[in-house]
Amino acid sequence: MGETVRVRPLADGDWDAVVALERDAYTGLGLSEGRAALQSRAAASPDTCFVVDVGSRTAGYALALPYPFRRYPDLARAEDTATASGPGNLHLHDIVVAPGLRRRGLARALLRHLAGTARARGDERISLVAVGGTAPFWSARGFTPHPGVVPAGAYGTDAVYMSGPVPSLAPVPSLREVS
């Protein structure tokens, strides 16, 4: 029997798990931001930040916030809520799934939920900065690189700013069973 998978809004009680997931994913790349910066990004746009649970475990998260096209959060400082912009471009700042739970469709569930949120907000594009050699992964999902947008070193030497139209994906139910 499978465990229940649920995408839901990020809550105050999720921060220990989110910080641990972020640290494990980004410390080796030199890109871990820490709790205060992550919380500031979520505070700038709480309606666009989510976690995915598998059973009672927080298995992953997505932090996104409205940002002007071709701009991105500064990893060296906390987010200023005045930086966030209105509908048009939703920037996917972070998406992480626990290593032992990858390849189960959890990132896809987070992305579909995010796309539905972007559509409801009236966004036309989703942007991101691909790090750690993930640009081919994002290209295969319809994101196009914009060379020269990310200064060398800001997000690592291989960082690529990318964007794509808000996809028309079938909605993901808030609860489903995974085998």
Side-chain angles (χ1 to χ4, degrees):
M1 180 126 200
E3 296 177 271
T4 301
V5 173
R6 180 173 64 132
V7 174
R8 61 174 175 77
L10 178 65
D12 288 341
D14 296 322
W15 282 108
D16 287 343
V18 167
V19 168
L21 287 164
E22 189 268 355
R23 181 190 61 236
D24 293 347
Y26 295 114
T27 297
L29 297 172
L31 301 175
S32 184
E33 298 177 81
R35 184 182 296 260
L38 295 171
Q39 287 178 320
S40 75
R41 301 198 201 299
S45 187
D47 295 338
T48 59
C49 298
F50 310 100
V51 296
V52 61
D53 295 325
V54 174
S56 61
R57 177 181 178 188
T58 300
Y61 71 91
L63 299 180
L65 56 161
Y67 238 75
F69 183 56
R70 294 182 181 259
R71 291 194 49 210
Y72 49 89
D74 181 345
L75 296 181
R77 62 185 245 286
E79 200 62 43
D80 177 359
T81 56
T83 305
S85 64
N89 185 67
L90 187 61
H91 185 79
L92 175 56
H93 179 66
D94 243 356
I95 185 167
V96 175
V97 172
L101 296 171
R102 293 181 182 155
R103 300 192 180 277
R104 294 181 61 181
L106 300 176
R108 187 172 36 251
L110 282 165
L111 287 170
R112 283 191 175 152
H113 195 85
L114 184 66
T117 299
R119 274 194 308 282
R121 284 178 27 85
D123 291 310
E124 297 171 0
R125 304 193 73 68
I126 295 175
S127 63
L128 57 89
V129 177
V131 298
T134 60
F137 170 87
W138 292 109
S139 289
R141 279 141 190 88
F143 288 83
T144 304
H146 300 279
V149 174
V150 178
Y155 278 67
T157 57
D158 63 351
V160 179
Y161 181 91
M162 305 178 83
S163 73
V166 172
S168 298
L169 300 172
V172 173
S174 59
L175 294 174
R176 67 182 179 95
E177 292 295 313
V178 178
S179 344

